[in-house]
Amino acid sequence: MSSIALAEANDIMPTDCVIVPYKTVDLSSAVSGVVESVDVNRSDFVEQDQVVARLKADVEKASVALAQKRTEIEAEVKVGRINVDFDERERKRIDSLYAKKAVTFRHKEEADREAKLSEWELKQAQDLEEIRDLELKRAQALLDQKIIRSPIPGFIAKVFRNEGEYIEDQPILRVVQLDPLHVDTILPMKLFGKISKGMQAEVVPETDNQAIRIATVSSIDPLGDAASGTFGVRLELPNPNFDLPAGLKCGMRFVEASTSPEKELTNQSAPTQQPPASAITSADQKPAQSTITAMGNNVIRSLVPSAEAMPVPPTKLNKEASAEETKQLKTVQFGPIYSAERKTLLETALTNHQYDFSVIEKEQQRDLGFIVLTDGGSDFAESLERAEALREKGITDLQILTKGDFSGYISLGVAYEKSKGEEHIQMLADKGIDAFMKPRSKQQKAWWLNIKMDSDNIPQVFSELLGSTSP
């Protein structure tokens, strides 16, 4: 890091941040089926490629056994080699007799023909042997689709499905990787260009005010948000012992790479070594609030600039505002928000901007668009026949539904816009297929933010704070 960059980093005011998992993966299956077993529980640690769940695979196991048995067939190749050896010796005898004028040319041609046929029959048997090996690999691949493995090392965060439940495109488990961790923060656009990859920052999690950890900048958003005047920065925080959980608020400030947080902690921990009052207002030193201290529960608070260090925007709630100004505030609700990570980032942004807000959490039906269906008949056998008839008409994107609200129907696709679904139905009608459309939804946890704002400036404040961020 250059000396100029270090000087600029030291001038950056401390800010709030949020600690999130390095990776979050919702594990599902490549094929639909019934869950046979879930081999892990919530909070269990899993290695990469470890089996975590299985779907029922009786048919696939039988196919593997059959393919394995077929690969063990050797009789055809052995018979072919015997025939080749015999016909080759016979051909040589006929050639010898033909040279002595003891047999006709026709006998010679027949011997040559039999020798060549034997060679091709042996080649055919060898090709069949290779095909059987490929069929075994294919059967094993189909069986492997019924086995769910973790693509990352991490912890089981949630179990969505249990034994006996039918799945299509729903997740079964959620796995989170916690080493390393990501630290996300939002900075004003005036700092764009002053932050670079490789810069370090001191991070203090809210769960342990005495612990100062060093994180390294790993990525910087190349695009800023014009409405809020901010851009995002992501840092990487080592967590080899998993002693720090994800989903935490934190405070941070950028530091020089050579700064030792332990040394700074030791020098500032003695109660008799507090800086004099004159040092706080000195123009040659940083504000006292921007220095990480180890004074009890004030560590995280010390990362946040004081009210005197930052001008209060006219649209934000000033604690010293008069009663008349406070009466002008109006509560505006923003939601629903379906992502917990997005909710935490918005909470951090609102806290940074000193807004008064509250969070409401509840379950609600989430609109998932529309599903195009056709009648599947009276039983599963009839559904199979109708599905085969649809495939003959060129409809390959279909699924026989056996559970849920649409059990007994055949799915012909989904659409997130009603107009797209109607176009798909018309295309099916042109092929002589009777189809109809139903709305899709599911029960899901959601959050709403109740934000207190200036009633005379709600649209502008709402746009500046949240920008293009969608729920």
Side-chain angles (χ1 to χ4, degrees):
M1 192 185 306
S2 67
S3 59
I4 296 178
L6 289 175
E8 292 176 341
N10 291 333
D11 293 336
I12 299 174
M13 299 296 292
T15 183
D16 289 338
C17 54
V18 59
I19 300 174
V20 297
Y22 185 73
K23 288 182 181 179
T24 300
V25 180
D26 284 350
L27 294 181
S28 186
S29 172
V31 295
S32 59
V34 177
V35 179
E36 182 177 58
S37 66
V38 177
D39 302 332
V40 292
N41 296 314
R42 183 175 176 178
S43 300
D44 286 352
F45 180 79
V46 295
E47 299 288 352
Q48 187 173 1
D49 294 328
Q50 179 179 333
V51 176
V52 295
R54 302 173 189 269
L55 303 184
K56 286 189 176 180
D58 296 338
V59 175
E60 287 76 8
K61 291 178 182 177
S63 298
V64 170
L66 176 61
Q68 180 68 45
K69 194 64 177 177
R70 288 171 62 87
T71 59
E72 297 174 1
I73 299 176
E74 300 177 351
E76 294 177 349
V77 174
K78 290 182 178 180
V79 169
R81 287 172 179 166
I82 293 173
N83 289 336
V84 167
D85 292 341
F86 176 81
D87 291 337
E88 182 64 24
R89 291 195 302 270
E90 182 69 13
R91 184 182 66 79
K92 291 180 179 180
R93 286 195 294 267
I94 296 297
D95 286 346
S96 176
L97 293 174
Y98 179 74
K100 298 177 181 179
K101 307 297 184 180
V103 295
T104 64
F105 182 72
R106 179 180 178 180
H107 287 90
K108 181 180 182 304
E109 281 188 327
E110 288 180 354
D112 293 340
R113 174 179 172 275
E114 290 296 328
K116 290 181 180 179
L117 286 176
S118 297
E119 291 177 358
W120 284 109
E121 287 174 355
L122 175 60
K123 182 65 168 62
Q124 183 181 29
Q126 292 171 338
D127 291 343
L128 288 174
E129 196 174 54
E130 293 179 2
I131 291 174
R132 292 186 186 112
D133 290 337
L134 295 176
E135 287 177 343
L136 176 59
K137 292 180 180 179
R138 180 177 181 273
Q140 289 174 335
L142 293 175
L143 178 60
D144 286 342
Q145 287 184 328
K146 300 284 187 172
I147 301 175
I148 315 302
R149 303 176 186 272
S150 174
I152 59 174
F155 291 87
I156 302 298
K158 191 170 183 179
V159 179
F160 296 101
R161 293 291 183 270
N162 291 304
E163 292 84 351
E165 294 190 61
Y166 180 82
I167 64 165
E168 291 182 0
D169 55 352
Q170 304 93 340
I172 302 175
L173 301 164
R174 175 173 294 166
V175 184
V176 293
Q177 183 174 345
L178 302 184
D179 180 32
L181 291 166
H182 276 156
V183 180
D184 291 339
T185 187
I186 299 174
L187 300 176
M189 283 302 299
K190 65 181 181 180
L191 297 179
F192 192 84
K194 297 182 179 180
I195 306 298
S196 59
K197 290 184 179 180
M199 288 181 63
Q200 293 185 338
E202 293 177 347
V203 177
V204 179
E206 63 178 351
T207 56
D208 189 354
N209 294 346
Q210 302 298 326
I212 299 178
R213 299 167 182 263
I214 300 298
T216 305
V217 176
S218 59
S219 64
I220 303 170
D221 288 351
L223 298 177
D225 182 53
S228 61
T230 59
F231 69 102
V233 176
R234 169 163 283 185
L235 300 89
E236 197 167 292
L237 178 64
N239 190 31
N241 298 322
F242 306 113
D243 53 345
L244 186 63
L248 293 178
K249 294 180 181 178
C250 59
M252 63 171 289
R253 67 162 181 156
F254 291 93
V255 297
E256 297 183 12
S258 60
T259 299
S260 173
E262 293 80 4
K263 182 177 180 180
E264 186 175 357
L265 250 169
T266 303
N267 293 336
Q268 297 181 3
S269 60
T272 59
Q273 299 299 321
Q274 297 180 8
S278 59
I280 298 178
T281 57
S282 173
D284 297 331
Q285 299 184 21
K286 301 177 187 176
Q289 284 88 349
S290 65
T291 303
I292 296 181
T293 65
M295 305 294 294
N297 295 326
N298 294 324
V299 178
I300 292 182
R301 295 176 184 174
S302 68
L303 288 169
V304 183
S306 64
E308 293 80 0
M310 295 182 63
V312 179
T315 59
K316 298 175 183 175
L317 176 60
N318 188 342
K319 293 183 179 179
E320 300 178 357
S322 65
E324 293 181 358
E325 292 175 333
T326 304
K327 292 180 181 179
Q328 296 179 357
L329 294 180
K330 180 178 180 181
T331 300
V332 178
Q333 190 173 79
F334 173 69
I337 305 169
Y338 295 106
S339 168
E341 183 176 347
R342 178 62 55 83
K343 175 187 74 75
T344 303
L345 288 175
L346 287 174
E347 287 179 317
T348 302
L350 288 167
T351 302
N352 287 343
H353 287 77
Q354 300 180 354
Y355 279 98
D356 187 7
F357 68 96
S358 61
V359 181
I360 299 175
E361 175 183 331
K362 62 181 179 180
E363 297 279 339
Q364 77 157 27
Q365 289 291 122
R366 183 179 183 183
D367 182 19
L368 296 178
F370 302 88
I371 183 170
V372 178
L373 304 167
T374 188
D375 187 17
S378 58
D379 54 30
F380 188 71
E382 188 174 352
S383 296
L384 289 174
E385 293 178 359
R386 296 193 178 189
E388 186 61 31
L390 290 171
R391 291 189 181 95
E392 291 177 356
K393 293 183 179 181
I395 307 300
T396 57
D397 183 15
L398 57 88
Q399 176 72 45
I400 299 175
L401 305 179
T402 59
K403 292 187 66 176
D405 297 337
F406 307 121
S407 177
Y409 293 97
I410 299 176
S411 170
L412 301 179
V414 295
Y416 292 98
E417 298 179 8
K418 188 174 182 180
S419 59
K420 297 295 184 182
E422 292 172 344
E423 291 176 2
H424 189 53
I425 290 176
Q426 183 59 48
M427 182 273 292
L428 294 170
D430 294 340
K431 295 185 177 183
I433 300 171
D434 183 19
F436 57 94
M437 185 167 55
K438 289 283 187 180
R440 299 170 65 231
S441 64
K442 71 174 182 179
Q443 193 79 5
Q444 185 172 350
K445 182 186 293 185
W447 296 270
W448 281 261
L449 296 176
N450 289 334
I451 311 170
K452 290 186 178 181
M453 297 180 176
D454 187 346
S455 59
D456 296 332
N457 201 20
I458 289 175
Q460 180 180 352
V461 173
F462 194 83
S463 174
E464 288 178 357
L465 178 61
L466 301 172
S468 60
T469 303
S470 60

